[in-house]
């Protein structure tokens, strides 16, 4: 059987893979063919139990690709944020730093949304655009002078001009391309769950820096919050395995009682944490995006948003090349993408690694220094505004989609 022909094959149907497919199809029209391959597409709805902070720049990307309206009423704006630094048994957790939640008037710096809602909306948008969605995995590929021949687990072969690895931290596409990663495990895990509470959070996010690591309370719609709770890996495993009543007790010690009675709703899971970056983001007719290219600590909530910045940069590089009649899988096109993203990714990795090492420890001396530092930042509004713009994704060389502009 002759191989089907496509312009781009994307392995992975998470946020990054679907957003890239939609952006390319919208920019280049129906004549530009895209296949997205992922076994998860065989499920009627996404099964991802997590929630994510969508920074303002990422929200502008979703608006630009016309996917945000479908979920806007289910997204919770983060209206302000407070940061504390304390020991677990401290009677009081004084607030050292507060952030107002707007990057521009009327524009929150981030929204919280459940992953499954946004992934499902992206799938529906991709279907509406006629994107070829296949519930199977990329199992291999071979290069030829003008194409890359992609083999799927279904047995089908597709001849494409470009293959994109958007298949997550354990990317099989990256592994098969022989692209190594460098980095390290933190020996920590993030316990993730959703909590219903008696009182309204009023759109406030909280980050409590405890000796084991950050404990984040992130607002969801209704009287609910998403918890991202960092512990040593062995301790996280122990806590997740506790009976419900004992897990509740551990949660309440860290959460507090300011929102009234708490109840865990849905699953609780622990995800190992580390810092890993692919040694290169490209290969021959191959590009990596999202978690396939880099993993960072969730301490600043930037992992997903970094992946979407990859998407915006790659979509812009490919679109510009296609409109000029150039080969979208050529080395110079992919080098433009890699140059655009490597430095930004490295700097964010250093920043999150430094923050984690500074705050995930039991040193009273370090605690004193960091509390003085937080207090100084609290008294410097221009510095706070800079941090907000950084968190919102509006610093550096921002791709068009992240500015809300069409390609």
């Amino acid at each position: 059987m002759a191989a089907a022909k496509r312009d781009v094959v994307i392995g992975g149907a998470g946020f990054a893979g679907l957003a890239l497919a939609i952006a390319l199809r919208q920019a280049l029209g129906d004549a530009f063919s895209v296949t997205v391959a992922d076994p998860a597409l065989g499920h009627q709805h996404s099964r991802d139990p997590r929630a994510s902070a969508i920074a303002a720049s990422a929200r502008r990307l979703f608006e630009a690709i016309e996917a945000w309206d479908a979920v806007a009423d289910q997204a919770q704006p983060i209206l302000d944020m407070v940061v504390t630094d304390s020991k677990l048994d401290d009677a009081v957790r004084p607030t050292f730093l507060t952030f107002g939640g707007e990057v521009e008037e009327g524009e929150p710096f981030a929204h919280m949304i459940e992953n499954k809602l946004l992934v499902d909306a992206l799938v529906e948008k991709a279907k509406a655009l006629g994107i070829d969605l296949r519930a199977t995995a990329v199992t291999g590929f071979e290069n030829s002078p003008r194409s890359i021949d992609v083999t799927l687990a279904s047995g089908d072969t597709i001849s494409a001009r470009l293959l994109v690895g958007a298949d997550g931290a354990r990317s099989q596409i990256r592994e098969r391309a022989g692209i190594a990663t460098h980095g390290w495990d933190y020996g920590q895990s993030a316990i993730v769950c959703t909590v219903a509470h008696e009182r309204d959070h009023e759109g406030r996010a909280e980050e409590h820096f405890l000796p084991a690591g950050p404990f984040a309370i992130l607002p969801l719609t209704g009287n609910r919050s998403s918890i991202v709770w960092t512990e040593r890996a062995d301790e996280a495993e122990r806590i997740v395995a506790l009976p419900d009543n004992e897990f509740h007790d551990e949660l309440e010690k860290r959460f507090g009682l300011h929102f009234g009675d708490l109840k865990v709703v849905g699953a609780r899971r622990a995800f190992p944490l580390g810092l890993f970056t692919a040694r290169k983001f490209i290969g021959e007719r191959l590009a990596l995006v999202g978690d396939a290219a880099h993993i960072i600590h969730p301490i600043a909530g930037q992992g997903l948003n970094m992946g979407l910045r990859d998407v915006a940069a790659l979509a812009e590089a490919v679109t510009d090349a296609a409109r000029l009649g150039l080969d979208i899988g050529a080395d110079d096109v992919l080098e433009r993408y890699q140059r655009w993203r490597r430095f930004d990714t490295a700097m964010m990795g250093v920043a999150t690694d430094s923050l984690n090492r500074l705050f995930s420890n039991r040193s009273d001396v370090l605690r004193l220094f960091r509390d003085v530092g937080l207090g100084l930042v609290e008294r410097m509004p221009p510095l706070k505004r800079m941090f907000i713009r950084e968190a919102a994704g509006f610093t550096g060389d921002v791709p068009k989609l992240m500015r809300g502009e069409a390609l």
Side-chain angles (χ1 to χ4, degrees):
M1 183 182 295
K5 292 188 180 296
R6 295 287 186 274
D7 291 298
V8 177
V9 172
I10 300 170
F15 289 128
L18 291 167
L20 178 62
I22 293 166
L24 290 173
R25 189 58 173 266
Q26 286 181 328
L28 296 170
D30 293 347
F32 190 87
S33 54
V34 182
T35 290
V36 180
D38 190 326
L41 290 167
H43 304 306
Q44 186 175 0
H45 298 289
S46 170
R47 299 181 177 183
D48 192 334
R50 295 168 292 178
S52 294
I54 306 297
S57 59
R59 192 205 71 251
R60 289 186 186 184
L61 178 149
F62 288 127
E63 288 176 343
I65 66 172
E66 301 173 356
W68 187 251
D69 283 351
V71 297
D73 62 347
Q74 298 167 298
Q76 170 63 51
I78 297 179
L79 301 177
D80 68 292
M81 183 170 184
V82 300
V83 177
T84 75
D85 186 12
S86 61
K87 296 180 180 177
L88 183 57
D89 55 358
D90 285 354
V92 177
R93 291 181 183 167
T95 297
F96 284 96
L97 189 56
T98 61
F99 289 105
E102 293 186 338
V103 284
E104 304 287 351
E105 187 173 351
E107 182 178 15
F109 80 88
H111 285 74
M112 284 297 301
I113 188 166
E114 292 162 273
N115 288 9
K116 59 187 178 184
L117 300 175
L118 188 48
V119 168
D120 285 349
L122 291 169
V123 168
E124 290 306 310
K125 184 66 178 178
K127 288 178 179 177
L129 290 169
I131 292 168
D132 179 27
L133 301 178
R134 303 201 186 190
T136 187
V138 172
T139 56
F141 47 89
E142 289 185 8
N143 288 96
S144 58
R146 300 290 296 175
S147 67
I148 182 166
D149 297 324
V150 181
T151 305
L152 305 179
S154 61
D156 294 331
T157 301
I158 300 175
S159 178
R161 293 195 286 165
L162 175 65
L163 171 64
V164 178
D167 51 341
R170 295 176 178 161
S171 170
Q172 292 301 303
I173 293 173
R174 184 189 67 224
E175 293 296 317
R176 287 190 175 91
I179 299 174
T181 62
H182 59 89
W184 47 82
D185 288 309
Y186 285 119
Q188 296 173 313
S189 292
I191 301 170
V192 176
C193 62
T194 299
V195 175
H197 38 77
E198 191 177 2
R199 301 192 187 103
D200 187 359
H201 48 56
E202 298 180 344
R204 170 173 290 184
E206 301 180 11
E207 186 140 31
H208 302 299
F209 286 116
L210 301 171
F215 181 90
I217 303 171
L218 304 166
L220 296 172
T221 52
N223 286 7
R224 299 179 306 143
S225 294
S226 175
I227 305 301
V228 182
W229 166 7
T230 302
E231 291 284 349
R232 291 191 326 271
D234 57 344
E235 180 68 358
E237 187 176 343
R238 181 191 72 81
I239 290 171
V240 166
L242 289 172
D244 290 349
N245 62 322
E246 295 181 31
F247 182 85
H248 179 277
D249 291 343
E250 293 286 352
L251 175 67
E252 195 174 76
K253 283 181 194 175
R254 294 156 177 84
F255 194 108
L257 298 171
H258 53 301
F259 288 161
D261 290 339
L262 306 176
K263 181 181 179 181
V264 176
V265 291
R268 58 193 193 227
R269 293 176 61 186
F271 297 88
L273 302 179
L275 173 69
F276 296 97
T277 305
R279 291 193 179 274
K280 56 182 182 176
F281 288 8
I282 61 173
E284 188 177 354
R285 295 194 174 275
L286 172 72
L288 303 176
V289 297
D291 287 354
H294 45 74
I295 294 288
I296 61 174
H297 197 284
I299 193 167
Q302 290 298 307
L304 168 65
N305 299 293
M306 293 288 287
L308 291 171
R309 202 154 166 147
D310 296 343
V311 166
L314 182 58
E316 192 167 333
V318 169
T319 298
D320 289 350
R323 285 177 176 158
L324 291 170
L326 303 176
D327 181 356
I328 63 169
D331 291 346
D332 56 345
V333 175
L334 300 183
E335 279 290 352
R336 179 189 173 196
Y337 162 66
Q338 178 164 255
R339 286 194 306 270
W340 204 340
R341 295 301 303 133
R342 284 282 291 176
F343 180 75
D344 182 36
T345 299
M347 290 302 96
M348 184 59 72
V350 169
T352 55
D353 183 65
S354 299
L355 283 172
N356 185 52
R357 293 178 189 279
L358 178 62
F359 284 98
S360 298
N361 62 72
R362 302 177 185 275
S363 167
D364 289 335
V365 173
L366 274 180
R367 182 182 174 192
L368 173 62
F369 277 107
R370 68 195 182 213
D371 290 350
V372 169
L374 291 173
L376 289 173
V377 173
E378 175 67 14
R379 290 163 177 78
M380 300 175 69
L383 190 56
K384 289 171 68 174
R385 285 194 293 271
M386 183 191 76
F387 286 153
I388 285 288
R389 290 194 65 79
E390 178 71 37
F394 293 136
T395 58
D397 187 3
V398 182
K400 287 180 180 177
L401 287 173
M402 305 296 276
R403 301 197 300 262
E405 300 174 11
L407 291 176

